[in-house]
Each structure stands twice: as structure tokens, then as C-alpha cells.
Amino acid sequence: MSAPDAAVPTPQPTDRPTKRKGRTAGWVILFLFLLLVALLVCAGLLARDALAARSSLTEAIEKVPAVEEALRSGDGAAAEAALAEVQPLTADARSNTDGPLWWLAGHAPLFGADVRAFSTAAWALDEITQDVLPPLAAAAATVSEGGVQVHDGTVDLAPLTAAAPQIESAAGTMSTVVDRVDALDVADLHDELAGPVVDLQDKVDTLDGLVTTAHRTTTLLPAMLGSDGPRTYLVMALNSAELRSPGGIPGAFAVIGTENGTITLGGQAATSAVGPFPGGIRPLAPADEELFGLNMAVYVQDTVFTPDFPTAAPLAAAMWEASQGQVVDGVLTLDPVALSYLLEATGPVDVAGTTIDAGNAVSTLLSDAYAELEPGDETDAFFAAVASSVMSAALSGGTDTGSLLDAVRRATSEHRVLVWSSHEDEQDLLSDTVISGDISSSDRAADTIGVFFNDATAGKMDYYLDSTVQHVASECSASGRTDTFRVDLTSNAPADAATDLPWYVTGGGISGTPPGNIRTDLFLYPPRGGRIVNTIADGTLTGSKVVDSHGRAVATLPRELSPGQSTSVTFTVTSDGTGGASSSSDTRQIDLWSTPTIHQGGLATIEVPVCG
């Protein structure tokens, strides 16, 4: 037998693996330590930058209102000076909230959304101060230094044309800022940052309106004043003594032409020179025909039964073309109160031996003329002559431009001036402005509540109608927000109006309304998607006819007053919403539109709670 194999020694553990594990653990500890140090350093750097950015932003935000105020007042030099103090601060804040560390922190759990919001706020304010406000300040400086002048009927378009490209670029930047800032969800933020972000969103939206207005002005005015070729516009002078939704029945017409900024006054015409058109000048939308009747397309005086000016104006333009053979590029309206504002700037005018000034324009046009002139063509001709004389005085160049602009701003802010363009691109820009009168399709008017008056007396008795429209209350409920409004009407007609006033003023009973009485049809417009839940007339719950028009459940209600009598109508509307309570500071603004009368303007902005 062979000898047994030698025993093979069993390997014994050595200390090498133990040393390797020890070294590996040491490296891990060292790495974690260095990572912790790096994180602490990064956190320190982030904290340092955040504090510096917060300091700069706080100081910048305190100075921004001075820029806005200077822009709104048209003081371009002051705006530029204030802006020079703000720009270095926003640039510093932006640089301190940018880079890889801020990107990483913005994707971290717990506080990532706050970091992103803070960085976005700094970016947005810097974009605004560097690229948005400077063109606005420069444009304001041009205007305030007399760069835009009216001389001998010509508006100097050069400053507006020069500013247009920069304003357009600013509007594009502002649109990007609005999108990013509005995309911030405050629900993801801690309370300490949520409030300031909401304030930023509100201020950005407000500033966006200012930029949009500047963009529309520099884009629309040159084109509409004939920079690209001659234009022709139809002016409808509205007569507030016989109310229609936008302010009155068309009392006279005038034509103005524009070319390279030069404005010329063309022919004039009475309403009797336009139509009627049996069967209608063009088909009406079913809702319009049901609400206002076919006469809206038959008589030019009734085109403005509807408060939606983009519906009324094309009808009037088509009637003018059919009657006069003249195609117009747009339609404008103004009422006697607007004329009185212009007279404050121009001074008095003499028409047919009568001196018309700011103090007597309304009474002369809406009362005295009917007592002293033959009704019909003679009163219409006088009305047209006054309107033309006032416009000629305003365009002569002898009026201070600032005073003239103030008069126009005042009239437009009360919905006493409306403008429609037949050019689709221009009308798109006009749509969301106060001068468009677009209640059917504009975004701005989606939440608008409307109260409109249409005379049913067939006379000129509304000179004696005193009206007020006011917001009474708002509250949140489980179904959304409800808003309550009150309409008060009073007849100030003399007690013997039936016999003392001319038949042309009382209507002579031809509409079925007794002479001396005032009959008014109310048209109540809830917000789009909303509805009127109750209507109370003189303390009694009452029903009303309701017609769906462009997403609004429009209610109509007739009211009739004898001399000295008053009536009060209260109605409540609901708006879409998620319901629930709201804090006292959680509010928003909506527009209340109404028919402008000789006593009250047609536009008010009201505060309502945000429900949900």
C-alpha cells in the first residue's frame, strides 16, 4: 500500500480582508463626511445667496411702485430715474438665485418648490425691470416731452411708430413672465412664501395690462390713423334722451377720414338718410332676434339695442354702405356727456347762433333743441352740427394735447366712447379693451355683470330719467359665489309732462305708453356660465323672460314710471365656482357694465370674494 497523502493544511484566515474592509469603511465615512461638508457648504452658499437675493428683492419691490406711478401719470423722465435705481437690485437678486446649486436645491424634497418659486420670482422681476419697463418708460418720456402732437388736424405718428418694435418685444417678454409666474402653484409652497407669490402674481397681471395697453396703442393708432393707407370711419352721435344699451339712439352721423395721421371731417347725415331695410340688412343671431326683435336689422336707430358693439357696429356699417354707397373701416360712438368732456378741453363752440360749452352741452342737445326746433331733420341736423364742431375743434391743433387725452380717457372709462374696426386683426386687439364694448366674446368680459336700458317710450323722455346701478353684496356658498345688485330708476319729468312737453319728447302715446310716462326695458346680464336666481321689483319677487345669449342667461324686465315715480329692482346672480369660504383678503375685481346715462357712467370695477 502506498503511503497516505501528506496532509494538506487548511487555509487560515489572514488579516488582509479585515484591513480591506476597514479601509473601505474608512473611505465611506470620509466620503460621507466630505459630502456632509459639501452639503453644509452648499447650504451655506445657498443661504448666503438667498439672504442677499431677499435683501435686493425687498428693496427693489419697495421702489417698483414709484416706476409704475410715473408710468401711469405719463412722467417718462421720473419713470426712467426710478427704474435706474431698481435695475441693479433685480440683477443682483437674479444672479444670486441662479446656477447649479439652485437647480439642485429646486429638485430637492420638502423645500424644492419654494426654492423654484423664489428663483422664478427673482428672474421675473429682473426680466420686467431690464426688458419690459424701459421701453414703456421711453415711450412715456416721448409723450410727456411733447413727442406726440396734434397740429392742424394731424397727429404726429413718428414717436408711436418708433416705439412700436420695442413695445412689441416688451409685450412678448411680459407674456413669458406671466406664463411662468402664473404657473407657480401656491398650494405647493410653505405659508411664508405662498403669500408673497400670490402678491407677485397679482402685480404681474396688473403690469401685464399696462404693457398690453401700450402694445395695443402703438400697434393700433398708427394703422387706424392711416399710416398704411387712407381710412374712413363712421361716427354715430348717440342721443341719451332716448336710451339704447350703449348709451342712446343714434341721433346723427358724421364721417371722418384718416391718412398718415391727418384727420379730416367728411360729410354729415341724419338718421333719416339711412334705411330702413325691410326684412333686415342681414340675418341676426337667433338670440339677438329673440331679445331685441327684427327691427335691430331694419332701422339704424335700433342697431344698438344690443350692448354688444361688435354686433351692432357691422349692422350700422352695412346700412351706411347700402344707403350712401360708402364702405367704412370702422364705427365709433360718443354721447353728449363725452362731447361735454371734449368741450372742457377745447373751449366753447358756436353752432347756429348758439354757444355750446361743457356746462350746457347736455341740456342744449337733449332738451332745449326739442323745445326750440322742429323735430326730425332739423333737430338731427343741429345734433350733427354740434358733434362735428366739437370734433373739428378737438382736431384743430389749438387744444392742449394733455387736456384732450384726459377728456378721451374720462369718456372711455365711462363707456361713453366705443370703437369697432372692420379689420379683423385690429378688432382682435380691440376686443379686450374698454372701448370695444365686446360683452359676448372678449375674455375680459367673461365675468362681467351687465345692466342695460332700452327705451320703450318712443320719445325723448330719458332726459328726465335718473338712474343708479350699484353692487349691494357678495357671498360664498356651497355652489359658488352670489352677487347682488340694485337698479334704481326715478322719473324727474314735470308733473304736467303729458301736456307741457312736445309730443316728439313724450312720444305721443304711439308705443302704448301714456304721454308723460317713461317706459324702460331692463336687460340683466349674468356672467358667462352664471344665472340670475331671483329678481325683486319694488319688494316683490317677480319673474322675467330669459334668453340664452352667448353663454349668458339674459333676463328682461319692463318698468314704467309716471312723473315723480321711482322703482327699485334687486337681482342676484350666481357665478361658477367650487364654493366654500374665503378670507377677507382673498378678493378679485370684476366689471359692472351698464348703460351710460347723463347721470351715471357705464363702467364700474367692484371687489368680490374668491370662493373655494
Side-chain angles (χ1 to χ4, degrees), residues 128-455:
I128 289 170
T129 60
Q130 306 295 339
D131 297 329
V132 175
L133 293 180
L136 296 185
T142 299
V143 174
S144 63
E145 292 167 6
V148 177
Q149 289 290 321
V150 180
H151 182 68
D152 293 334
T154 298
V155 179
D156 181 11
L157 299 178
L160 294 173
T161 303
Q166 288 76 28
I167 296 295
E168 183 175 10
S169 176
T173 299
M174 194 67 208
S175 178
T176 302
V177 169
V178 170
D179 289 343
R180 285 191 58 179
V181 171
D182 283 352
L184 296 174
D185 189 350
V186 295
D188 296 335
L189 306 178
H190 289 81
D191 292 342
E192 293 79 6
L193 193 60
V197 166
V198 170
D199 291 341
L200 175 65
Q201 289 172 332
D202 291 341
K203 288 188 177 298
V204 164
D205 288 342
T206 299
L207 182 59
D208 184 45
L210 192 64
V211 176
T212 300
T213 298
H215 180 223
R216 286 182 178 133
T217 301
T218 55
T219 301
L220 286 172
L221 268 185
M224 296 185 77
L225 291 176
S227 63
D228 300 323
R231 295 287 188 91
T232 302
Y233 298 96
L234 178 65
V235 179
M236 296 197 297
L238 303 184
N239 187 333
S240 306
E242 186 173 354
L243 288 175
R244 293 289 185 268
S245 292
I249 194 170
F253 298 95
V255 174
I256 59 174
T258 65
E259 185 171 11
N260 293 323
T262 299
I263 306 173
T264 55
L265 190 61
Q268 306 168 23
T271 54
S272 60
V274 183
F277 301 91
I281 189 69
R282 59 175 58 173
L284 296 174
D288 289 332
E289 186 169 341
E290 186 175 359
L291 275 171
F292 308 111
L294 181 61
N295 281 352
M296 198 171 87
V298 175
Y299 300 99
V300 71
Q301 298 95 324
D302 294 338
T303 56
V304 287
F305 264 137
T306 173
D308 188 60
F309 196 57
T311 296
L315 292 173
M319 292 180 181
W320 181 263
E321 180 183 357
S323 298
Q324 305 296 318
Q326 186 178 38
V327 177
V328 296
D329 293 284
V331 180
L332 295 76
T333 70
L334 72 168
D335 69 4
V337 177
L339 287 175
S340 74
Y341 295 162
L342 291 175
L343 283 165
E344 289 180 3
T346 66
V349 297
D350 290 323
V351 178
T354 301
T355 299
I356 313 292
D357 59 28
N360 69 7
V362 173
S363 60
T364 299
L365 289 170
L366 303 185
S367 178
D368 298 347
Y370 299 120
E372 300 170 7
L373 301 174
E374 286 297 318
D377 287 346
E378 189 172 353
T379 52
D380 286 351
F382 179 71
F383 202 89
V386 172
S388 298
S389 296
V390 174
M391 287 190 291
S392 294
L395 299 173
S396 66
T399 302
D400 175 68
T401 303
S403 299
L404 191 59
L405 288 175
D406 286 343
V408 173
R409 289 191 193 101
R410 185 180 178 188
T412 56
S413 70
E414 296 179 4
H415 262 193
R416 299 188 185 279
V417 175
L418 299 175
V419 179
W420 170 79
S421 173
S422 65
H423 300 262
E424 187 173 347
D425 56 338
E426 295 174 3
Q427 183 58 30
D428 287 342
L429 284 174
L430 283 169
S431 178
D432 277 333
T433 67
V434 296
I435 63 173
S436 74
D438 184 349
I439 198 170
S440 293
S441 61
S442 75
D443 292 337
R444 176 189 175 116
D447 295 327
T448 291
I449 287 88
V451 178
F452 302 105
F453 308 143
N454 278 308
D455 175 76

Side-chain angles (χ1 to χ4, degrees), residues 479-483 526-533 572-576:
S479 59
R481 192 187 76 242
T482 60
D483 304 303
R528 289 184 207 140
R531 63 190 181 91
I532 297 175
V533 292
T572 300
V573 302
T574 60
S575 303
D576 287 340

